[in-house]
């Protein structure tokens, strides 16, 4: 017996049961059965034709007119069959497209993410974990003989547009080598690029900093980005690293302010995305103080271990359900 | 064995004749009710395209045979304007009726074999075959 015959048989049984008792149970079974039909991609015109052949079997004395009327109904239902089949093929196509987009977006991202550089005198740790396939956080390091620059950005938007935006930012930054040394000017230029090219419902926050490895000065500017922390070893104290400045792409005229920090031995620069501070636990949002406590608890370790430990801890607190992209970067002066 | 019957299509009534021809042949070949109805729908679609876009042309129906399989072949030909972008036309959702699953992609999905050949300015030929299961 073919699958098809089995289905017709089952249909016949269910129909007979219903005709006998007219019970809700039988109808419920019919409903369950329809799920199975849909699963097996049986189109509505086929179901109708099965119904008709079962009727012929159960009621051989049906009038000719009644029989013929089913031919008419069948003709009408054929169109639904066409529509059903189109729906199936569009659905398959959509799934394909979605997974292609996902693959493309994450591939592109892997290409854009820079490696973490090894810098004399600095211990650098980076942890960036996407909540979904595509990471809305972006970081970039550029190193030369006397400095290393760091950009941390959060792109508020999804999928392809966000991925494209990310590459735009990377290439825009690469094409602004003169501004690399001046964080506020770099943001001003980047802001103009974003303002001209990005859809208004997409926002980008960024913190850009330059670490002078000769002088151990850190210059930075921020565009609406989650403030980082600065750990002053001499006072054993964490400070907020505020940087006033509008989100990128809002207004062409935005100006950014440059800040400067003197970095002494043992001091730490901590940059993050709001995915770190907006961790939601059963007790509500994590406070920035709690992040500081977490860092403090691990800060005797190498920078990479610190960021890993903080991430693991926060992941545990959120019951392993990351709601937002997480990026945490620590730079520690070691000599 | 391969006798071909054709219907000239130049108005809406001819579409009905083409359907009738196809249905008779499908019945003869032993297609079930649903397949008969599907084949006639496919014929309608092809004939309607000829009527709407080419003005006139013809629909031929013949019995087909291949490797022991038997089936029905529809050949729709016209000397109309032809189709510029066949790939686009074969995309789901492109038809003017939009999203009803009909049109050329619907015909293609329904039939087991589908071949379209169209030259802009000189005409279109579509050959579609459905095999008996
Ligand atoms: N025989 C033909 N000659 C010239 N152009 C054709 C022919 N058949 C189809 N086309 C072109 O291909 C397009 C798509 O045809 P198709 O039958 O898929 O959809 P439709 O006729 O636009 O809408 P529907 O058939 O769903 O009502 C038509 O709009 C027409 O431009
Ligand atoms: Mg059409």
């Amino acid at each position: 017996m073919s699958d098809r015959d089995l289905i017709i048989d089952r249909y016949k049984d269910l129909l007979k049961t219903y005709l006998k008792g007219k019970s809700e149970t039988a109808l419920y079974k019919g409903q369950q059965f329809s799920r199975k039909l849909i699963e097996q991609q049986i189109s509505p015109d086929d179901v109708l034709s099965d119904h008709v052949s079962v009727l012929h079997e159960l009621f051989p004395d049906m009038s000719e007119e009644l029989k013929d009327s089913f031919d008419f109904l069948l003709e009408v239902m054929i169109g639904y069959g066409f529509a059903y089949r189109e729906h199936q093929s569009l659905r398959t196509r959509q799934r394909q497209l979605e997974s292609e987009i996902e693959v493309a977006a994450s591939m592109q991202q892997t290409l854009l993410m820079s490696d973490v550089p090894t810098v004399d005198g600095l211990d650098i740790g980076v942890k960036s974990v996407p909540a979904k396939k595509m990471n809305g956080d972006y970081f970039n390091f550029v190193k030369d003989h006397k400095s290393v620059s760091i950009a941390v950005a959060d792109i508020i938007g999804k999928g392809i547009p966000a991925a494209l935006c990310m590459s735009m930012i990377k290439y825009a930054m690469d094409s602004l080598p003169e501004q690399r040394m001046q964080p506020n000017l770099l943001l001003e230029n980047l802001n103009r690029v974003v303002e001209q090219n990005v859809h208004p419902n997409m926002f980008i926050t960024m913190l850009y900093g330059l670490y002078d490895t000769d002088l151990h000065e850190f210059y930075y500017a921020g565009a609406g980005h989650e403030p980082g922390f600065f750990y002053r070893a001499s006072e054993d104290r964490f400070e907020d690293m505020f940087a006033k400045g509008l989100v990128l792409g809002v207004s062409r005229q935005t100006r950014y302010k440059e800040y400067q920090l003197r970095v002494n031995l043992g001091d730490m620069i901590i940059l993050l995305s709001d995915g770190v501070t907006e961790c939601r636990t059963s007790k509500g949002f994590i406070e920035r103080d709690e992040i500081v406590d977490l860092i403090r608890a691990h800060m005797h370790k190498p920078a990479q271990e610190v960021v890993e430990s903080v991430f693991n801890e926060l992941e545990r607190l959120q019951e392993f359900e990351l709601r937002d992209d997480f990026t945490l970067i620590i730079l520690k002066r070691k000599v | 064995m391969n006798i071909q019957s054709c219907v000239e299509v130049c108005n809406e009534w001819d579409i009905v004749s083409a359907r009738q021809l196809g249905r008779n042949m499908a019945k003869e070949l032993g297609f079930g009710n649903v397949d008969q109805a599907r084949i006639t729908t496919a014929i309608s679609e092809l004939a309607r395209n000829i009527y709407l876009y080419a003005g006139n042309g013809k629909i031929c129906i013949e019995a087909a045979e291949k490797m022991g399989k038997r089936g029905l072949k529809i050949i729709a030909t016209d000397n109309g304007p032809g189709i510029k972008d066949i790939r686009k036309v074969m995309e789901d959702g492109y038809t003017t009726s939009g999203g009803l699953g009909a049109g050329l992609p619907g015909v293609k999905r329904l039939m087991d074999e589908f071949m379209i050949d169209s030259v802009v300015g000189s005409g279109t030929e579509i050959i579609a075959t459905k095999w008996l299961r």
Side-chain angles (χ1 to χ4, degrees), chain B residues 31-107:
Chain B
F31 281 102
N33 272 358
V34 195
D35 278 340
Q36 280 175 37
R38 285 176 182 158
I39 289 167
T40 46
T41 302
I43 294 170
S44 287
E45 291 291 324
L46 296 177
R48 218 165 58 92
N49 281 355
I50 291 177
Y51 163 66
L52 286 176
Y53 309 118
N56 60 63
K58 65 180 180 182
I59 297 273
C60 296
I61 310 288
E62 61 180 50
E65 226 178 315
K66 191 165 94 179
M67 299 193 295
K69 283 185 299 187
R70 281 171 11 100
L72 180 146
K73 187 185 269 185
I74 309 165
I75 303 154
T77 39
D78 65 63
N79 301 316
I83 300 171
K84 208 167 28 186
D85 191 345
I86 297 185
R87 221 153 57 94
K88 190 148 210 172
V89 161
M90 293 313 295
E91 266 171 31
D92 278 316
Y94 177 77
T95 63
T96 34
S97 58
L100 298 184
L104 294 176
V107 173

Side-chain angles (χ1 to χ4, degrees), chain A residues 244-276:
Chain A
K244 242 168 78 92
L246 211 54
V247 170
L248 295 178
V250 174
S251 151
R252 180 177 294 225
Q253 270 79 40
T254 311
R255 293 282 167 270
Y256 295 93
K257 187 167 149 38
E258 187 173 297
Y259 299 80
Q260 185 175 356
L261 281 167
R262 161 97 204 136
V263 185
N264 291 304
L265 200 66
D267 287 356
M268 285 191 293
I269 295 161
I270 297 147
L271 307 177
L272 35 84
S273 67
D274 58 8
V276 178

Side-chain angles (χ1 to χ4, degrees), chain A residues 292-301:
Chain A
V292 166
D293 291 343
L294 275 175
I295 295 172
R296 186 180 279 283
H298 295 283
M299 69 187 193
H300 56 280
K301 303 176 186 167

Side-chain angles (χ1 to χ4, degrees), chain A residues 122-301:
Chain A
L122 277 182
D123 180 16
I124 305 179
V126 175
K127 184 82 181 167
S128 186
V129 184
K132 305 214 178 70
K133 276 240 166 58
M134 167 83 197
N135 197 338
D137 288 355
Y138 175 68
F139 68 85
N140 185 273
F141 286 94
V142 177
K143 184 184 131 174
D144 67 17
H145 60 282
K146 64 178 290 283
S147 72
V148 57
S149 60
I150 307 134
V152 189
D154 186 350
I155 295 158
I156 302 147
K158 282 199 267 309
I160 293 284
L164 291 177
C165 182
M166 209 176 264
S167 59
M168 188 187 76
I169 289 188
K170 173 170 165 53
Y171 296 116
M173 286 204 315
D174 288 351
S175 67
L176 298 169
E178 308 90 65
Q179 276 84 41
R180 198 175 82 80
M181 298 304 192
Q182 286 163 288
N184 58 325
L185 293 187
L186 183 123
L187 287 186
E188 276 165 28
N189 275 298
L190 208 51
N191 174 61
R192 277 194 288 274
V193 174
V194 171
E195 199 264 338
Q196 276 170 26
N197 298 292
V198 170
H199 200 264
N201 64 13
M202 205 148 68
F203 295 100
I204 301 156
T205 71
M206 180 181 278
L207 192 133
Y208 180 85
L210 181 84
Y211 191 105
D212 184 320
T213 43
D214 287 344
L215 303 175
H216 294 284
E217 296 280 351
F218 186 62
Y219 310 90
Y220 68 97
H225 197 76
E226 177 75 20
F229 299 105
F230 184 65
Y231 174 73
R232 220 177 273 282
S234 58
E235 300 172 29
D236 187 25
R237 211 164 65 92
F238 283 86
E239 297 163 12
D240 282 331
M241 255 175 62
F242 278 114
K244 242 168 78 92
L246 211 54
V247 170
L248 295 178
V250 174
S251 151
R252 180 177 294 225
Q253 270 79 40
T254 311
R255 293 282 167 270
Y256 295 93
K257 187 167 149 38
E258 187 173 297
Y259 299 80
Q260 185 175 356
L261 281 167
R262 161 97 204 136
V263 185
N264 291 304
L265 200 66
D267 287 356
M268 285 191 293
I269 295 161
I270 297 147
L271 307 177
L272 35 84
S273 67
D274 58 8
V276 178
T277 45
E278 281 171 17
C279 277
R280 200 185 245 289
T281 68
S282 47
K283 289 188 228 102
F285 283 114
I286 295 250
E287 299 287 328
R288 280 171 67 88
D289 288 350
E290 295 176 67
I291 307 281
V292 166
D293 291 343
L294 275 175
I295 295 172
R296 186 180 279 283
H298 295 283
M299 69 187 193
H300 56 280
K301 303 176 186 167

Side-chain angles (χ1 to χ4, degrees), chain B residues 1 24-31 62-64 70-72 132:
Chain B
M1 157 96 214
N24 293 344
M25 177 77 86
K27 225 181 250 176
E28 239 171 75
L29 285 165
F31 281 102
E62 61 180 50
R70 281 171 11 100
L72 180 146
L132 266 167

